[in-house]
Amino acid sequence: MPLKIYIDGKFYNKKDAKVSVLDHGLLYGDGVFEGIRSYNRLVFCLEKHIDRLYKSAAAITLKIPITRKEMIKAVCAALKKNRLVDGYVRLIVTRGEGDLGLDPRKCKGNARVIIIADKIMLYPRKFYDAGLSIITARTQQNPIETLHPGIKSLNYLNNILAKIEAVNGGHEEAIMLNTKGYVTECTGDNIFIVKNNVVYTPPASVGILMGVTREMVIGIAKKKKIKLTQVPFKRNRIYTADECFLTGTAAELIPVVKVDGKKVGTGLPGKTTAIFLQEFKELTKTCGTKLS
Ligand code: PXG
């Protein structure tokens, strides 16, 4: 069965799912997106993703043409239409079709909603078992005074430049520092370290995407009475940490065992990371919106 893709209220076969070359999402990266996952027909934290989508849109003065309720329905419909039990949804809202000028007013409120529901592509198992080796990128995080990293916009070039550095060095991910040298996040994941049984993750103020998985990890720490603090830190704190892990919708929680060629802790995935991963797996069975 060909993939059925939602564009503005209708489903199209993949080969017919097309948008204009004058769409400002394509011309300028003018739009926002979300990556959402379903586990056994439970759309994980769907409302949180929808909230973030509408927040991102508001931050770029993009008016989404449908209500949150309609959006939730459409995401569920896209998963059902493609008979996905464990799926991945890419939800995209672009400024829509305009002309060659970058003035968003030319798009005349044609904002376009696209929903692609497909199978999830995961990091290979070996990375969960052995942990990732990552680097610090020379490409810095966008300062919060520019395109705020908390906005999940279609303009991911900065992250892609950092990702290219990682890939060129034979790594899977790269840490981006802010202009003051503080650790922010990776190109598609938030970052956590553990030192002496305390968990640390960078706060919003350094410039990060407020990850849904990150929020779940913070909740798990509370529940398990593990001390977790959101404080700025520099990369030397990762080099001397006992454990490090990344969080993201696609990756879930993935251990990091090497940063910039230096072993983190014992150089093996840590026990605190394992506890969080175990608890997270439980949440994927209960947190979200069940497909009817
Ligand atoms: N930081 C950034 C910059 C992200 O893009 C996260 C953190 C984690 O957020 P969530 O809410 O997923 O826990 C993300 C999300 C990809 C891809 O293809 C990555 C994301 C989203 C969609 C696709 O690598 N990362």
Side-chain angles (χ1 to χ4, degrees):
M1 190 182 79
L3 209 60
K4 297 272 198 292
I5 294 170
Y6 173 107
I7 306 177
D8 292 337
K10 287 203 197 104
F11 283 95
Y12 300 86
N13 286 335
K14 185 176 161 187
K15 70 172 184 18
D16 304 316
K18 297 195 171 127
V19 295
S20 164
V21 292
L22 292 176
D23 193 300
H24 279 207
L26 173 68
L27 289 179
Y28 301 113
D30 189 353
V32 293
F33 79 104
E34 276 298 320
I36 310 166
R37 193 158 165 182
S38 78
Y39 293 88
N40 192 25
R41 295 172 57 80
L42 184 72
V43 194
F44 186 62
C45 293
L46 178 55
E47 302 219 1
K48 289 187 190 294
H49 284 284
I50 298 297
D51 281 350
R52 190 170 66 187
L53 180 80
Y54 280 78
K55 262 192 204 152
S56 294
I60 65 163
T61 66
L62 170 61
K63 175 141 181 33
I64 299 180
I66 58 175
T67 64
R68 279 161 205 255
K69 228 174 161 177
E70 288 165 336
M71 190 66 90
I72 287 171
K73 257 191 163 168
V75 168
C76 293
L79 282 160
K80 285 198 277 188
K81 195 101 182 160
N82 290 288
R83 301 205 183 102
L84 288 158
V85 175
D86 295 296
Y88 182 79
V89 175
R90 177 60 54 87
L91 175 48
I92 304 151
V93 185
T94 77
R95 189 81 66 181
E97 187 176 340
D99 62 19
L100 288 177
L102 56 82
D103 186 343
R105 288 174 303 184
K106 297 291 169 55
C107 301
K108 300 192 189 83
N110 286 334
R112 170 162 282 136
V113 180
I114 302 166
I115 306 173
I116 309 167
D118 204 346
K119 293 194 184 69
I120 174 89
M121 281 192 291
L122 299 170
Y123 272 129
R125 181 78 248 158
K126 64 174 182 188
F127 291 128
Y128 292 88
D129 297 338
L132 291 178
S133 167
I134 67 174
I135 56 156
T136 316
R138 298 168 73 93
T139 305
Q140 293 176 328
Q141 177 76 310
N142 284 324
I144 56 173
E145 297 82 3
T146 63
L147 173 60
H148 197 294
I151 302 171
K152 204 162 169 59
S153 85
L154 290 181
N155 196 321
Y156 251 53
L157 254 186
N158 200 59
N159 302 42
I160 290 166
L161 292 177
K163 183 85 175 183
I164 289 170
E165 291 183 50
V167 171
N168 284 348
H171 302 273
E172 293 298 318
E173 257 294 10
I175 297 166
M176 294 178 295
L177 306 177
N178 70 13
T179 53
K180 297 195 175 77
Y182 288 99
V183 171
T184 62
E185 61 183 342
C186 289
T187 69
D189 304 286
N190 291 112
I191 189 164
F192 291 77
I193 56 172
V194 185
K195 180 74 179 177
N196 299 332
N197 300 314
V198 181
V199 184
Y200 300 85
T201 196
S205 58
V206 298
I208 58 169
L209 182 78
M210 300 302 277
V212 170
T213 320
R214 175 184 181 276
E215 192 183 328
M216 293 294 113
V217 165
I218 292 168
I220 291 168
K222 257 200 200 119
K223 179 185 158 213
K224 301 290 287 181
K225 301 202 164 45
I226 298 171
K227 191 164 165 25
L228 183 149
T229 66
Q230 301 180 48
V231 284
F233 55 84
K234 296 197 171 174
R235 66 179 163 180
N236 63 308
R237 292 276 296 281
I238 310 180
Y239 301 156
T240 57
D242 300 326
E243 297 179 37
C244 176
F245 62 90
L246 310 182
T247 65
T249 296
E252 300 180 325
L253 270 78
I254 192 158
V256 171
V257 292
K258 221 182 228 188
V259 178
D260 297 332
K262 300 172 189 44
K263 254 193 215 172
V264 177
T266 61
L268 294 169
K271 62 177 196 323
T272 310
T273 306
I275 295 171
F276 278 107
L277 181 55
Q278 170 77 27
E279 289 289 319
F280 180 79
K281 292 266 186 208
E282 287 303 312
L283 289 179
T284 63
K285 296 176 190 161
T286 53
C287 272
T289 305
K290 195 80 188 166
L291 296 181
S292 57

